Amino acid sequence: MSGETTLSGPDLSRGIALSELQDGGQLVGHAEGEAVLLVKRGQEVFAVGATCTHYGGPLAEGLVVGDTVHCPWHHACFSLRTGEALAAPALNPIACFDVQQRGEQLFVLGKKQKKHEAVTVKSGLSSVVIVGGGAAGHAAAELLRREGYVGQLTLLSADESPPVDRPNLSKDYLAGTAPEEWIPLRPPKFFASQRIDWCSARE
Ligand SMILES: Cc1cc2nc3c(=O)[nH]c(=O)nc-3n(C[C@H](O)[C@H](O)[C@H](O)COP(=O)(O)OP(=O)(O)OC[C@H]3O[C@@H](n4cnc5c(N)ncnc54)[C@H](O)[C@@H]3O)c2cc1C
Ligand code: FES
């Protein structure tokens, strides 16, 4: 299921002519050794990682809708502004790059620094239990942490193992072409580092 990224197109850090990117258009090049997708929407130009963080789908072949891009393989959706994975099945964001216009040329600068200004959930909640340890429950737990929820967080499951990539079970994994390491959505240490208590109701 994973795609291999080979760099193609111009080195965007050296600049391209503004005229190469039409309004509504997109272009693939590279910067900092990574494939980069440039998208022009009106007066804005976005530069993001061109490879889907799910299984490496080519985002340049996906659909741009407003300020989002949808992966053509399994339809994960990413924000062009922040790189955030807005819709399943991707969990990780794509990189965002700074873009600068100098005269009639566009340059892709370095990667944007992640802003650690997580919004603290102001609901007063101090404990959350999510029932269901599948992709949906897992994504909810991750998002709560990313959005700044710092209280107790429990993921209650009827499964014997932490959340897994179920679609892979009946495809590459069953065919023997996906290693077992690909099956968990996150490694066990992730739950500890994010302070997510994964509990199996079977225990
Ligand atoms: C083999 C397989 C292949 C698939 N292939 C594809 C595919 O190719 N494309 C695609 O789009 N979708 C595919 N799917 C479907 C996809 O995996 C599901 O849509 C997705 O897993 C749904 O996620 P979920 O979190 O909503 O539910 P689930 O993954 O079903 O998770 C439900 C969770 O709730 C827990 N639970 C249930 N009852 C209780 C209880 N009483 N107390 C506590 N916890 C409980 C379960 O243990 C489980 O952890 C596949 C599914 C399977 C099984
Ligand atoms: S590879 Fe992009 S959604 Fe799966």
mmCIF file of all heavy atoms in Angstrom, residues 45-90:
data_model
loop_
_atom_site.group_PDB
_atom_site.id
_atom_site.type_symbol
_atom_site.label_atom_id
_atom_site.label_comp_id
_atom_site.label_asym_id
_atom_site.label_seq_id
_atom_site.Cartn_x
_atom_site.Cartn_y
_atom_site.Cartn_z
ATOM 1 N N VAL A 45 -0.686 31.393 -2.368
ATOM 2 C CA VAL A 45 0.054 30.222 -2.866
ATOM 3 C C VAL A 45 0.438 29.378 -1.652
ATOM 4 O O VAL A 45 1.021 29.879 -0.687
ATOM 5 C CB VAL A 45 1.320 30.627 -3.638
ATOM 6 C CG1 VAL A 45 2.093 29.382 -4.068
ATOM 7 C CG2 VAL A 45 0.955 31.470 -4.857
ATOM 8 N N PHE A 46 0.062 28.113 -1.703
ATOM 9 C CA PHE A 46 0.382 27.189 -0.612
ATOM 10 C C PHE A 46 1.466 26.221 -1.086
ATOM 11 O O PHE A 46 1.472 25.801 -2.247
ATOM 12 C CB PHE A 46 -0.847 26.366 -0.217
ATOM 13 C CG PHE A 46 -2.039 27.195 0.202
ATOM 14 C CD1 PHE A 46 -3.106 27.397 -0.659
ATOM 15 C CD2 PHE A 46 -2.084 27.764 1.466
ATOM 16 C CE1 PHE A 46 -4.201 28.152 -0.273
ATOM 17 C CE2 PHE A 46 -3.170 28.524 1.862
ATOM 18 C CZ PHE A 46 -4.231 28.717 0.989
ATOM 19 N N ALA A 47 2.338 25.861 -0.176
ATOM 20 C CA ALA A 47 3.356 24.835 -0.471
ATOM 21 C C ALA A 47 3.307 23.808 0.651
ATOM 22 O O ALA A 47 3.517 24.148 1.822
ATOM 23 C CB ALA A 47 4.742 25.465 -0.559
ATOM 24 N N VAL A 48 2.995 22.573 0.272
ATOM 25 C CA VAL A 48 2.878 21.509 1.286
ATOM 26 C C VAL A 48 3.594 20.260 0.805
ATOM 27 O O VAL A 48 3.869 20.113 -0.394
ATOM 28 C CB VAL A 48 1.386 21.147 1.557
ATOM 29 C CG1 VAL A 48 0.647 22.301 2.208
ATOM 30 C CG2 VAL A 48 0.682 20.683 0.287
ATOM 31 N N GLY A 49 3.858 19.357 1.714
ATOM 32 C CA GLY A 49 4.424 18.058 1.354
ATOM 33 C C GLY A 49 3.507 17.385 0.345
ATOM 34 O O GLY A 49 2.289 17.420 0.499
ATOM 35 N N ALA A 50 4.093 16.774 -0.691
ATOM 36 C CA ALA A 50 3.284 16.224 -1.784
ATOM 37 C C ALA A 50 2.925 14.763 -1.571
ATOM 38 O O ALA A 50 2.292 14.149 -2.424
ATOM 39 C CB ALA A 50 4.032 16.385 -3.101
ATOM 40 N N THR A 51 3.335 14.205 -0.426
ATOM 41 C CA THR A 51 3.133 12.775 -0.205
ATOM 42 C C THR A 51 2.209 12.548 0.981
ATOM 43 O O THR A 51 2.462 13.059 2.082
ATOM 44 C CB THR A 51 4.493 12.100 0.067
ATOM 45 O OG1 THR A 51 5.393 12.476 -0.978
ATOM 46 C CG2 THR A 51 4.370 10.590 0.104
ATOM 47 N N CYS A 52 1.160 11.800 0.755
ATOM 48 C CA CYS A 52 0.180 11.536 1.825
ATOM 49 C C CYS A 52 0.851 10.778 2.974
ATOM 50 O O CYS A 52 1.646 9.852 2.752
ATOM 51 C CB CYS A 52 -0.968 10.714 1.256
ATOM 52 S SG CYS A 52 -2.215 10.294 2.480
ATOM 53 N N THR A 53 0.518 11.167 4.199
ATOM 54 C CA THR A 53 1.140 10.525 5.363
ATOM 55 C C THR A 53 0.468 9.203 5.723
ATOM 56 O O THR A 53 0.892 8.543 6.658
ATOM 57 C CB THR A 53 1.085 11.457 6.584
ATOM 58 O OG1 THR A 53 -0.290 11.807 6.829
ATOM 59 C CG2 THR A 53 1.899 12.712 6.353
ATOM 60 N N HIS A 54 -0.580 8.817 4.987
ATOM 61 C CA HIS A 54 -1.198 7.516 5.257
ATOM 62 C C HIS A 54 -0.329 6.425 4.639
ATOM 63 O O HIS A 54 0.468 5.806 5.332
ATOM 64 C CB HIS A 54 -2.639 7.497 4.714
ATOM 65 C CG HIS A 54 -3.363 6.216 4.969
ATOM 66 N ND1 HIS A 54 -4.091 5.566 4.010
ATOM 67 C CD2 HIS A 54 -3.454 5.457 6.089
ATOM 68 C CE1 HIS A 54 -4.616 4.464 4.516
ATOM 69 N NE2 HIS A 54 -4.236 4.367 5.784
ATOM 70 N N TYR A 55 -0.448 6.193 3.336
ATOM 71 C CA TYR A 55 0.406 5.206 2.679
ATOM 72 C C TYR A 55 1.143 5.791 1.489
ATOM 73 O O TYR A 55 1.437 5.089 0.530
ATOM 74 C CB TYR A 55 -0.412 3.974 2.270
ATOM 75 C CG TYR A 55 -0.610 3.004 3.409
ATOM 76 C CD1 TYR A 55 -1.847 2.837 3.999
ATOM 77 C CD2 TYR A 55 0.453 2.253 3.900
ATOM 78 C CE1 TYR A 55 -2.031 1.958 5.058
ATOM 79 C CE2 TYR A 55 0.283 1.378 4.953
ATOM 80 C CZ TYR A 55 -0.960 1.228 5.523
ATOM 81 O OH TYR A 55 -1.122 0.358 6.559
ATOM 82 N N GLY A 56 1.411 7.101 1.554
ATOM 83 C CA GLY A 56 2.284 7.687 0.542
ATOM 84 C C GLY A 56 1.619 8.041 -0.776
ATOM 85 O O GLY A 56 2.305 8.165 -1.795
ATOM 86 N N GLY A 57 0.303 8.217 -0.775
ATOM 87 C CA GLY A 57 -0.387 8.591 -2.014
ATOM 88 C C GLY A 57 0.114 9.929 -2.557
ATOM 89 O O GLY A 57 0.540 10.798 -1.796
ATOM 90 N N PRO A 58 0.057 10.094 -3.900
ATOM 91 C CA PRO A 58 0.554 11.331 -4.530
ATOM 92 C C PRO A 58 -0.503 12.428 -4.457
ATOM 93 O O PRO A 58 -1.473 12.421 -5.216
ATOM 94 C CB PRO A 58 0.805 10.887 -5.978
ATOM 95 C CG PRO A 58 -0.166 9.763 -6.209
ATOM 96 C CD PRO A 58 -0.435 9.104 -4.889
ATOM 97 N N LEU A 59 -0.304 13.394 -3.577
ATOM 98 C CA LEU A 59 -1.329 14.424 -3.376
ATOM 99 C C LEU A 59 -1.514 15.299 -4.611
ATOM 100 O O LEU A 59 -2.575 15.902 -4.797
ATOM 101 C CB LEU A 59 -0.993 15.275 -2.150
ATOM 102 C CG LEU A 59 -1.014 14.511 -0.820
ATOM 103 C CD1 LEU A 59 -0.675 15.438 0.346
ATOM 104 C CD2 LEU A 59 -2.371 13.850 -0.584
ATOM 105 N N ALA A 60 -0.503 15.363 -5.470
ATOM 106 C CA ALA A 60 -0.638 16.178 -6.688
ATOM 107 C C ALA A 60 -1.722 15.621 -7.604
ATOM 108 O O ALA A 60 -2.264 16.329 -8.439
ATOM 109 C CB ALA A 60 0.688 16.222 -7.430
ATOM 110 N N GLU A 61 -2.044 14.335 -7.423
ATOM 111 C CA GLU A 61 -3.099 13.733 -8.248
ATOM 112 C C GLU A 61 -4.444 13.772 -7.544
ATOM 113 O O GLU A 61 -5.430 13.226 -8.010
ATOM 114 C CB GLU A 61 -2.730 12.279 -8.587
ATOM 115 C CG GLU A 61 -1.508 12.195 -9.475
ATOM 116 C CD GLU A 61 -0.996 10.768 -9.642
ATOM 117 O OE1 GLU A 61 -1.779 9.816 -9.453
ATOM 118 O OE2 GLU A 61 0.202 10.622 -9.936
ATOM 119 N N GLY A 62 -4.452 14.402 -6.373
ATOM 120 C CA GLY A 62 -5.698 14.481 -5.605
ATOM 121 C C GLY A 62 -6.494 15.716 -5.955
ATOM 122 O O GLY A 62 -6.099 16.523 -6.803
ATOM 123 N N LEU A 63 -7.597 15.855 -5.279
ATOM 124 C CA LEU A 63 -8.518 16.953 -5.548
ATOM 125 C C LEU A 63 -8.269 18.086 -4.561
ATOM 126 O O LEU A 63 -8.202 17.859 -3.355
ATOM 127 C CB LEU A 63 -9.944 16.405 -5.357
ATOM 128 C CG LEU A 63 -11.090 17.214 -5.931
ATOM 129 C CD1 LEU A 63 -10.968 17.308 -7.452
ATOM 130 C CD2 LEU A 63 -12.411 16.554 -5.543
ATOM 131 N N VAL A 64 -8.143 19.305 -5.100
ATOM 132 C CA VAL A 64 -8.043 20.476 -4.221
ATOM 133 C C VAL A 64 -9.438 21.078 -4.096
ATOM 134 O O VAL A 64 -10.090 21.376 -5.093
ATOM 135 C CB VAL A 64 -7.051 21.506 -4.804
ATOM 136 C CG1 VAL A 64 -7.085 22.794 -3.987
ATOM 137 C CG2 VAL A 64 -5.640 20.937 -4.821
ATOM 138 N N VAL A 65 -9.885 21.198 -2.854
ATOM 139 C CA VAL A 65 -11.212 21.783 -2.595
ATOM 140 C C VAL A 65 -11.010 22.901 -1.577
ATOM 141 O O VAL A 65 -10.626 22.635 -0.425
ATOM 142 C CB VAL A 65 -12.193 20.731 -2.020
ATOM 143 C CG1 VAL A 65 -13.558 21.361 -1.783
ATOM 144 C CG2 VAL A 65 -12.317 19.539 -2.945
ATOM 145 N N GLY A 66 -11.233 24.138 -2.019
ATOM 146 C CA GLY A 66 -10.993 25.269 -1.124
ATOM 147 C C GLY A 66 -9.545 25.255 -0.673
ATOM 148 O O GLY A 66 -8.639 25.190 -1.501
ATOM 149 N N ASP A 67 -9.333 25.286 0.621
ATOM 150 C CA ASP A 67 -7.954 25.249 1.115
ATOM 151 C C ASP A 67 -7.595 23.882 1.674
ATOM 152 O O ASP A 67 -6.884 23.766 2.661
ATOM 153 C CB ASP A 67 -7.704 26.369 2.141
ATOM 154 C CG ASP A 67 -8.634 26.267 3.331
ATOM 155 O OD1 ASP A 67 -9.465 25.337 3.359
ATOM 156 O OD2 ASP A 67 -8.524 27.102 4.239
ATOM 157 N N THR A 68 -8.119 22.835 1.000
ATOM 158 C CA THR A 68 -7.771 21.463 1.394
ATOM 159 C C THR A 68 -7.360 20.668 0.161
ATOM 160 O O THR A 68 -7.730 21.004 -0.960
ATOM 161 C CB THR A 68 -8.951 20.718 2.057
ATOM 162 O OG1 THR A 68 -10.007 20.557 1.096
ATOM 163 C CG2 THR A 68 -9.474 21.462 3.271
ATOM 164 N N VAL A 69 -6.605 19.593 0.415
ATOM 165 C CA VAL A 69 -6.280 18.657 -0.665
ATOM 166 C C VAL A 69 -6.647 17.249 -0.201
ATOM 167 O O VAL A 69 -6.417 16.889 0.961
ATOM 168 C CB VAL A 69 -4.788 18.765 -1.076
ATOM 169 C CG1 VAL A 69 -3.836 18.488 0.075
ATOM 170 C CG2 VAL A 69 -4.483 17.841 -2.256
ATOM 171 N N HIS A 70 -7.266 16.486 -1.118
ATOM 172 C CA HIS A 70 -7.724 15.133 -0.795
ATOM 173 C C HIS A 70 -6.832 14.122 -1.502
ATOM 174 O O HIS A 70 -6.596 14.231 -2.710
ATOM 175 C CB HIS A 70 -9.173 14.935 -1.265
ATOM 176 C CG HIS A 70 -10.149 15.819 -0.571
ATOM 177 N ND1 HIS A 70 -11.118 15.333 0.283
ATOM 178 C CD2 HIS A 70 -10.296 17.161 -0.581
ATOM 179 C CE1 HIS A 70 -11.822 16.345 0.760
ATOM 180 N NE2 HIS A 70 -11.350 17.471 0.249
ATOM 181 N N CYS A 71 -6.363 13.137 -0.753
ATOM 182 C CA CYS A 71 -5.505 12.110 -1.335
ATOM 183 C C CYS A 71 -6.326 11.242 -2.304
ATOM 184 O O CYS A 71 -7.442 10.833 -1.994
ATOM 185 C CB CYS A 71 -4.912 11.238 -0.222
ATOM 186 S SG CYS A 71 -3.884 9.907 -0.874
ATOM 187 N N PRO A 72 -5.744 10.932 -3.477
ATOM 188 C CA PRO A 72 -6.502 10.133 -4.446
ATOM 189 C C PRO A 72 -6.642 8.661 -4.049
ATOM 190 O O PRO A 72 -7.469 7.950 -4.608
ATOM 191 C CB PRO A 72 -5.681 10.273 -5.732
ATOM 192 C CG PRO A 72 -4.288 10.534 -5.259
ATOM 193 C CD PRO A 72 -4.424 11.336 -3.999
ATOM 194 N N TRP A 73 -5.821 8.184 -3.106
ATOM 195 C CA TRP A 73 -5.845 6.747 -2.811
ATOM 196 C C TRP A 73 -6.972 6.358 -1.850
ATOM 197 O O TRP A 73 -7.783 5.509 -2.148
ATOM 198 C CB TRP A 73 -4.493 6.297 -2.246
ATOM 199 C CG TRP A 73 -3.444 6.181 -3.318
ATOM 200 C CD1 TRP A 73 -3.569 6.522 -4.645
ATOM 201 C CD2 TRP A 73 -2.113 5.683 -3.170
ATOM 202 N NE1 TRP A 73 -2.410 6.280 -5.313
ATOM 203 C CE2 TRP A 73 -1.487 5.758 -4.449
ATOM 204 C CE3 TRP A 73 -1.383 5.207 -2.104
ATOM 205 C CZ2 TRP A 73 -0.182 5.356 -4.654
ATOM 206 C CZ3 TRP A 73 -0.063 4.803 -2.314
ATOM 207 C CH2 TRP A 73 0.520 4.868 -3.584
ATOM 208 N N HIS A 74 -7.000 6.928 -0.660
ATOM 209 C CA HIS A 74 -8.061 6.548 0.303
ATOM 210 C C HIS A 74 -8.757 7.781 0.870
ATOM 211 O O HIS A 74 -9.374 7.724 1.925
ATOM 212 C CB HIS A 74 -7.483 5.695 1.437
ATOM 213 C CG HIS A 74 -6.528 4.634 0.985
ATOM 214 N ND1 HIS A 74 -5.165 4.724 1.189
ATOM 215 C CD2 HIS A 74 -6.734 3.477 0.319
ATOM 216 C CE1 HIS A 74 -4.558 3.658 0.670
ATOM 217 N NE2 HIS A 74 -5.489 2.896 0.138
ATOM 218 N N HIS A 75 -8.531 8.920 0.208
ATOM 219 C CA HIS A 75 -9.312 10.147 0.465
ATOM 220 C C HIS A 75 -9.049 10.852 1.791
ATOM 221 O O HIS A 75 -9.921 11.557 2.288
ATOM 222 C CB HIS A 75 -10.814 9.859 0.300
ATOM 223 C CG HIS A 75 -11.131 9.241 -1.024
ATOM 224 N ND1 HIS A 75 -12.289 8.550 -1.264
ATOM 225 C CD2 HIS A 75 -10.428 9.183 -2.175
ATOM 226 C CE1 HIS A 75 -12.279 8.098 -2.519
ATOM 227 N NE2 HIS A 75 -11.150 8.475 -3.089
ATOM 228 N N ALA A 76 -7.883 10.663 2.362
ATOM 229 C CA ALA A 76 -7.521 11.512 3.506
ATOM 230 C C ALA A 76 -7.537 12.964 3.034
ATOM 231 O O ALA A 76 -7.297 13.246 1.862
ATOM 232 C CB ALA A 76 -6.118 11.162 3.999
ATOM 233 N N CYS A 77 -7.846 13.866 3.955
ATOM 234 C CA CYS A 77 -7.950 15.283 3.587
ATOM 235 C C CYS A 77 -7.000 16.098 4.470
ATOM 236 O O CYS A 77 -6.942 15.884 5.685
ATOM 237 C CB CYS A 77 -9.396 15.719 3.792
ATOM 238 S SG CYS A 77 -9.658 17.473 3.597
ATOM 239 N N PHE A 78 -6.246 16.992 3.827
ATOM 240 C CA PHE A 78 -5.264 17.804 4.559
ATOM 241 C C PHE A 78 -5.536 19.287 4.334
ATOM 242 O O PHE A 78 -5.917 19.691 3.227
ATOM 243 C CB PHE A 78 -3.840 17.499 4.077
ATOM 244 C CG PHE A 78 -3.418 16.075 4.272
ATOM 245 C CD1 PHE A 78 -3.609 15.131 3.262
ATOM 246 C CD2 PHE A 78 -2.853 15.668 5.468
ATOM 247 C CE1 PHE A 78 -3.226 13.809 3.442
ATOM 248 C CE2 PHE A 78 -2.461 14.344 5.662
ATOM 249 C CZ PHE A 78 -2.651 13.418 4.647
ATOM 250 N N SER A 79 -5.287 20.081 5.369
ATOM 251 C CA SER A 79 -5.368 21.529 5.238
ATOM 252 C C SER A 79 -4.123 22.037 4.509
ATOM 253 O O SER A 79 -3.001 21.698 4.881
ATOM 254 C CB SER A 79 -5.452 22.176 6.624
ATOM 255 O OG SER A 79 -5.199 23.566 6.512
ATOM 256 N N LEU A 80 -4.353 22.878 3.493
ATOM 257 C CA LEU A 80 -3.210 23.483 2.791
ATOM 258 C C LEU A 80 -2.582 24.579 3.641
ATOM 259 O O LEU A 80 -1.447 24.971 3.416
ATOM 260 C CB LEU A 80 -3.670 24.069 1.447
ATOM 261 C CG LEU A 80 -4.091 23.054 0.382
ATOM 262 C CD1 LEU A 80 -4.771 23.756 -0.785
ATOM 263 C CD2 LEU A 80 -2.891 22.257 -0.107
ATOM 264 N N ARG A 81 -3.342 25.092 4.607
ATOM 265 C CA ARG A 81 -2.825 26.178 5.458
ATOM 266 C C ARG A 81 -1.928 25.669 6.577
ATOM 267 O O ARG A 81 -0.904 26.254 6.881
ATOM 268 C CB ARG A 81 -3.983 26.950 6.106
ATOM 269 C CG ARG A 81 -4.794 27.716 5.132
ATOM 270 C CD ARG A 81 -5.853 28.574 5.791
ATOM 271 N NE ARG A 81 -6.688 29.128 4.753
ATOM 272 C CZ ARG A 81 -6.343 30.142 3.968
ATOM 273 N NH1 ARG A 81 -5.191 30.731 4.151
ATOM 274 N NH2 ARG A 81 -7.145 30.563 3.013
ATOM 275 N N THR A 82 -2.353 24.564 7.176
ATOM 276 C CA THR A 82 -1.624 24.090 8.360
ATOM 277 C C THR A 82 -0.995 22.711 8.171
ATOM 278 O O THR A 82 -0.178 22.300 8.993
ATOM 279 C CB THR A 82 -2.580 23.988 9.568
ATOM 280 O OG1 THR A 82 -3.571 22.991 9.250
ATOM 281 C CG2 THR A 82 -3.266 25.323 9.841
ATOM 282 N N GLY A 83 -1.420 21.995 7.129
ATOM 283 C CA GLY A 83 -0.932 20.637 6.921
ATOM 284 C C GLY A 83 -1.684 19.606 7.748
ATOM 285 O O GLY A 83 -1.492 18.398 7.584
ATOM 286 N N GLU A 84 -2.558 20.069 8.631
ATOM 287 C CA GLU A 84 -3.291 19.165 9.527
ATOM 288 C C GLU A 84 -4.070 18.111 8.735
ATOM 289 O O GLU A 84 -4.671 18.417 7.702
ATOM 290 C CB GLU A 84 -4.273 19.997 10.365
ATOM 291 C CG GLU A 84 -5.108 19.224 11.358
ATOM 292 C CD GLU A 84 -4.324 18.851 12.626
ATOM 293 O OE1 GLU A 84 -3.303 19.495 12.931
ATOM 294 O OE2 GLU A 84 -4.760 17.909 13.289
ATOM 295 N N ALA A 85 -4.040 16.872 9.246
ATOM 296 C CA ALA A 85 -4.869 15.817 8.664
ATOM 297 C C ALA A 85 -6.292 16.035 9.163
ATOM 298 O O ALA A 85 -6.578 15.838 10.342
ATOM 299 C CB ALA A 85 -4.347 14.450 9.088
ATOM 300 N N LEU A 86 -7.168 16.462 8.263
ATOM 301 C CA LEU A 86 -8.526 16.843 8.671
ATOM 302 C C LEU A 86 -9.504 15.684 8.599
ATOM 303 O O LEU A 86 -10.552 15.730 9.216
ATOM 304 C CB LEU A 86 -9.050 17.977 7.760
ATOM 305 C CG LEU A 86 -8.244 19.272 7.764
ATOM 306 C CD1 LEU A 86 -8.787 20.230 6.709
ATOM 307 C CD2 LEU A 86 -8.279 19.921 9.144
ATOM 308 N N ALA A 87 -9.189 14.686 7.801
ATOM 309 C CA ALA A 87 -10.125 13.564 7.675
ATOM 310 C C ALA A 87 -9.354 12.263 7.496
ATOM 311 O O ALA A 87 -8.271 12.247 6.901
ATOM 312 C CB ALA A 87 -11.058 13.796 6.490
ATOM 313 N N ALA A 88 -9.939 11.199 8.021
ATOM 314 C CA ALA A 88 -9.343 9.863 7.973
ATOM 315 C C ALA A 88 -9.078 9.470 6.514
ATOM 316 O O ALA A 88 -9.738 9.979 5.613
ATOM 317 C CB ALA A 88 -10.306 8.882 8.631
ATOM 318 N N PRO A 89 -8.187 8.508 6.340
ATOM 319 C CA PRO A 89 -7.496 7.697 7.334
ATOM 320 C C PRO A 89 -6.123 8.224 7.759
ATOM 321 O O PRO A 89 -5.466 7.536 8.548
ATOM 322 C CB PRO A 89 -7.349 6.351 6.632
ATOM 323 C CG PRO A 89 -7.190 6.713 5.190
ATOM 324 C CD PRO A 89 -8.032 7.942 4.972
ATOM 325 N N ALA A 90 -5.661 9.351 7.289
ATOM 326 C CA ALA A 90 -4.341 9.823 7.716
ATOM 327 C C ALA A 90 -4.416 10.344 9.150
ATOM 328 O O ALA A 90 -5.405 10.956 9.551
ATOM 329 C CB ALA A 90 -3.848 10.927 6.790
#
